[in-house]
Amino acid sequence: MTLIMATVIGLTFLFGFGNVLALGLRLGVPAYVAPLVAPAVDLSVLGLLLGVRYLALNGASREEIRPARRLLILASVMTLALNITEPLLLNLIG
């Protein structure tokens, strides 16, 4: 099970990396900066997921977890937006 989960996470990371790299290059971000954006966003989501899970397992109240969950939702929405923008641009612009 751990191997399957690691494989899915790795493939998701590579998919997101490719989409955000292509978007950054299309928008004119320097080639040495563009590859740094996708991992930063993905690692933020991963860190927040682990943090929220840790807090929940160690007895934190809902009020204590709420700010981290809100930040997790925001980071997830931003990750989704970054991943779908390049394909949408390709379909709209051609």
Side-chain angles (χ1 to χ4, degrees):
M1 186 62 143
T2 302
L3 180 63
I4 293 171
M5 188 175 75
T7 302
V8 169
I9 290 171
L11 290 173
T12 303
F13 183 79
L14 288 174
F15 174 77
F17 180 80
N19 284 339
V20 176
L21 177 63
L23 175 64
L25 294 175
R26 177 183 285 272
L27 295 177
V29 175
Y32 61 90
V33 175
L36 302 175
V37 176
V41 175
D42 290 340
L43 291 174
S44 296
V45 171
L46 180 61
L48 286 165
L49 279 170
L50 292 174
V52 167
R53 182 71 178 151
Y54 176 81
L55 288 172
L57 289 174
N58 287 307
S61 68
R62 287 181 179 248
E63 291 76 29
E64 292 172 326
I65 297 175
R66 186 172 290 135
R69 292 185 98 173
R70 286 183 182 160
L71 188 56
L72 175 60
I73 291 169
L74 176 65
S76 299
V77 168
M78 296 308 297
T79 299
L80 178 64
L82 285 170
N83 279 310
I84 65 170
T85 301
E86 174 66 15
L88 287 176
L89 287 176
L90 286 176
N91 285 334
L92 292 176
I93 294 172

